[in-house]
């Protein structure tokens, strides 16, 4: 989250991707950096132990949400 | 100003052990206990505690803490850029007071924070990690006796104000100066009991070797704090042998346990009881001898690691992985895989009562190398 916020403040569009288990800490981090409304994408937990195929499926699943947060017109 | 009760205090004299009988508030205003309770509850309501009551800190108490150091109150002692927050000497003093420290402990708290910065993990977000580490603090030198730090029986346990509150001060700094609270920025999956406090002193008097800080280049008259970011404190009960090699192999097996092998190698701090240390010392073993022996003996076979899915390492992170993981590469070792990268990945300390063959292994974070973060306690400590 901190990286995403710092990128945004440096003028580089960024969307953090977190797993569902980290929502509380993601919100706390955004608040800490004075950006409580900062948007991020959420994928189901866990990621660390999934197979390559499952990871690819997660990426496909979350991609539209990332594009939406970035405000890309389709 | 000391707030420690001496042996003639009413609470100590009361034969029934009832603190209310002629108790601590007897000579104060009738509502003193109620006011103290309101202040303590206020601190709870603000989220300023680790779950235990804190000592309410006012400007007067803060002043007593700041008077023990030459460092300016606004000096940043620990910064966390990723949190956009910093801990100054003043914030550290407030949290040390709230933790229940005496002002005389404060130079030790400052040295502990300096040591954590020198060790390096604290500024890289380790206090927020799911791993759930806690700092273990080791204190050496004359300051131990001066402030009543326990180095003997129950050294990891309860019962000693300096040990209890110096370790706790570090936790309160995390909570209050940085906002690292559980279920918020503290993402620990389980944490460790050491998150309440973990501060020990070396039992230099019952050790067959020079003190830990002297081994690392300090004078015996220096006082130091060494912080170890730690996963756990592992208990090893070994009353069964007087053979140095058998004892050290027993300890080495615990150092090498597969659960501790998250990365290619691990690190540890042996906290030898005086009985174990003296057994080794009498047989002529130096700290260096012990390190080299344990380094050689703390091994797992390839098949042992394969059984638990840790016989390869990740190409990038060097975390241990099963052989068939897409990121897996060989770990460049043979059939016996050492758990310690170098002998210096093992530190050796003596602590506890000289009454039994019970030692401990602090499972320290990271692979580590030759130089622990031994940090001098400011001389104004007295």
């Amino acid at each position: 989250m901190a990286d995403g916020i710092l990128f945004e403040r440096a003028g580089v569009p960024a969307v953090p991707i977190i797993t569902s288990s980290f929502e509380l800490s993601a919100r706390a981090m955004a608040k800490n950096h004075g950006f409580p409304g900062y948007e991020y994408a959420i994928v189901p937990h866990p990621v660390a132990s999934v197979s390559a195929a499952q990871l690819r499926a997660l990426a496909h699943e979350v991609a539209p949400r990332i594009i939406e947060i970035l405000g890309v017109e389709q | 100003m000391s707030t420690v009760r001496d042996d003639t205090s009413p609470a100590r004299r009361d034969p029934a052990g009832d603190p209310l009988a002629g108790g601590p508030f007897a000579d104060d205003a009738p509502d003193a206990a109620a006011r103290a309770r309101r202040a303590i509850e206020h601190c709870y309501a603000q989220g300023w505690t680790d779950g235990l009551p804190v000592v309410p800190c006012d400007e007067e108490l803060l002043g007593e803490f700041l008077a023990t150091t030459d460092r300016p109150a606004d000096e940043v002692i620990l910064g966390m850029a990723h949190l956009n927050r910093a801990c100054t000497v003043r914030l550290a003093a407030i949290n040390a007071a709230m933790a229940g420290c005496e002002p005389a402990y404060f130079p030790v708290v400052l040295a502990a924070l300096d040591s954590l910065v020198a060790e390096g993990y604290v500024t890289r977000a380790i206090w927020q990690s799911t791993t759930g580490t806690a700092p273990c603090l080791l204190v050496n030198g004359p300051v131990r006796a001066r402030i009543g730090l326990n180095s003997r029986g129950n050294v990891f346990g309860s019962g000693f104000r300096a040990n209890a509150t110096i370790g706790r001060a570090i936790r309160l700094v995390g909570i209050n100066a940085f906002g690292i609270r559980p279920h918020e920025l503290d993402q620990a999956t389980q944490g460790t009991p050491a998150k309440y406090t973990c501060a020990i002193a070396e039992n230099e008097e019952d050790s067959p070797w020079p003190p830990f800080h002297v081994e690392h280049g300090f004078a015996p008259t220096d006082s130091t704090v060494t912080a170890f970011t730690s996963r756990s404190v592992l208990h090893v009960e070994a009353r069964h042998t007087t053979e140095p090699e058998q004892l050290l192999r027993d300890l080495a097996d615990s150092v090498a346990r597969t659960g501790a092998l998250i990365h290619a190698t691990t690190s540890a701090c042996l906290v030898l009881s005086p009985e174990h240390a003296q057994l080794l010392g009498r047989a002529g073993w130096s700290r260096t001898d012990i390190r080299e022996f344990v380094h050689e003996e703390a091994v797992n076979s390839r098949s042992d690691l394969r059984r638990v899915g840790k016989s390869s390492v990740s190409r990038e992170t060097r975390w241990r992985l099963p052989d068939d993981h897409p990121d897996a590469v060989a770990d460049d070792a043979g059939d016996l895989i050492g758990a310690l990268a170098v002998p210096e990945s093992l530190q050796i300390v003596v602590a506890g009562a000289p009454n039994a063959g019970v030692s401990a292994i602090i499972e320290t974070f990271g692979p580590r190398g030759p130089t622990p973060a031994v940090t001098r306690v400011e001389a104004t400590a007295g």
Side-chain angles (χ1 to χ4, degrees):
Chain A
M1 288 295 288
D3 291 345
I5 289 169
L6 294 177
F7 272 126
E8 289 281 359
R9 286 192 172 142
V12 180
V15 181
I17 305 168
I18 64 159
T19 73
S20 50
S21 296
F22 290 93
E23 276 204 76
L24 285 176
S25 48
R27 274 195 230 120
M29 187 61 121
K31 197 173 152 200
N32 220 48
H33 280 271
F35 204 159
Y38 188 52
E39 284 194 281
Y40 48 87
I42 305 170
V43 297
H45 194 80
V47 162
S49 52
V50 300
S51 69
Q54 288 168 318
L55 198 58
R56 206 166 290 116
L58 273 179
H60 282 291
E61 199 180 302
V62 76
R65 173 69 183 137
I66 293 170
I67 290 166
E68 182 190 335
I69 293 172
L70 286 171
V72 177
E73 289 183 29
Q74 302 196 69
Chain B
M1 183 196 298
S2 169
T3 51
V4 172
R5 215 182 265 131
D6 67 27
D7 283 337
T8 61
S9 72
R12 286 283 174 87
R13 277 204 316 257
D14 172 44
D18 177 354
L20 294 183
F25 296 107
D27 299 330
D28 293 333
D31 65 341
R35 280 164 44 216
R37 188 175 162 214
R38 276 200 301 279
I40 289 167
E41 292 298 333
H42 173 76
C43 295
Y44 272 118
Q46 302 302 311
W48 291 340
T49 95
D50 53 2
L52 294 168
V54 293
V55 175
C57 179
D58 59 8
E59 289 291 337
E60 184 187 346
L61 182 57
L62 172 61
E64 289 180 33
F65 277 76
L66 293 176
T68 66
T69 178
D70 291 335
R71 299 166 79 163
D74 61 355
E75 180 189 333
V76 170
I77 191 156
L78 165 59
M80 294 198 199
H82 67 284
L83 291 181
N84 209 16
R85 296 257 189 120
C87 178
T88 57
V89 169
R90 177 189 159 88
L91 281 178
I94 293 169
N95 283 287
M98 288 170 63
C101 289
E102 284 191 60
Y105 307 171
F106 188 48
V108 177
V109 172
L110 288 176
L113 290 166
D114 287 339
S115 179
L116 282 164
V117 171
E119 187 202 34
Y121 295 118
V122 70
T123 48
R124 302 208 296 272
I126 192 62
W127 285 359
Q128 293 165 259
S129 168
T130 51
T131 299
T133 63
C136 280
L137 307 176
L138 169 70
V139 182
N140 278 95
V143 75
R144 297 167 308 140
R146 211 156 48 222
I147 65 173
L149 268 164
N150 182 33
S151 66
R152 300 167 192 270
N154 211 35
V155 70
F156 283 108
S158 57
F160 298 87
R161 181 175 177 177
N163 303 63
T165 61
I166 289 169
R168 188 187 187 205
I170 306 302
R171 174 62 40 213
L172 292 186
V173 162
I175 291 171
N176 294 319
F178 295 101
I180 302 176
R181 296 186 172 81
H183 302 191
E184 294 178 24
L185 291 175
D186 182 341
Q187 304 168 111
T189 306
Q190 294 192 321
T192 155
K195 289 183 91 164
Y196 281 102
T197 185
C198 187
I200 67 171
E202 185 167 40
N203 187 342
E204 299 175 10
E205 292 70 21
D206 287 323
S207 169
W209 305 299
F212 180 85
H213 67 313
V214 174
E215 184 199 5
H216 292 288
F218 289 81
T221 50
D222 288 331
S223 293
T224 62
V225 181
T226 310
F228 296 100
T229 294
S230 307
R231 301 172 185 277
S232 62
V233 177
L234 199 62
H235 177 261
V236 181
E237 189 152 341
R239 310 174 191 245
H240 60 286
T241 181
T242 54
E243 294 289 326
E245 290 83 358
Q246 287 179 352
L247 170 62
L248 290 176
R249 284 193 196 103
D250 201 20
L251 289 161
D253 279 5
S254 289
V255 169
R257 72 181 181 92
T258 61
L261 274 179
I262 295 99
H263 299 99
T265 56
T266 187
S267 64
C269 177
L270 284 187
V271 182
L272 296 172
S273 63
E275 189 171 306
H276 280 160
Q278 286 162 16
L279 184 161
L280 295 161
R282 272 196 307 275
W285 290 64
S286 68
R287 276 183 160 112
T288 302
D289 297 333
I290 295 169
R291 262 197 200 99
E292 285 172 358
F293 186 84
V294 173
H295 172 248
E296 275 176 34
E297 295 286 331
V299 293
N300 288 287
S301 70
R302 179 71 56 199
S303 66
D304 281 345
L305 289 185
R306 194 164 285 127
R307 272 183 67 234
V308 299
K310 289 184 169 178
S311 43
S312 291
V313 292
S314 161
R315 187 176 290 109
E316 298 294 333
T317 66
R318 308 298 285 175
W319 283 52
R320 288 211 161 269
L321 292 171
D323 295 337
D324 59 357
H325 190 282
D327 287 341
V329 294
D331 59 13
D332 303 325
D335 281 341
L336 280 181
I337 298 99
L340 300 170
V342 289
E344 292 75 19
S345 300
L346 189 75
Q347 297 301 331
I348 299 161
V349 173
V350 179
N355 64 4
V358 174
S359 288
I361 295 167
I362 300 176
E363 297 190 307
T364 46
F365 187 87
R368 295 182 187 253
T371 318
V374 188
T375 303
R376 194 190 309 269
V377 177
E378 197 181 358
T380 49

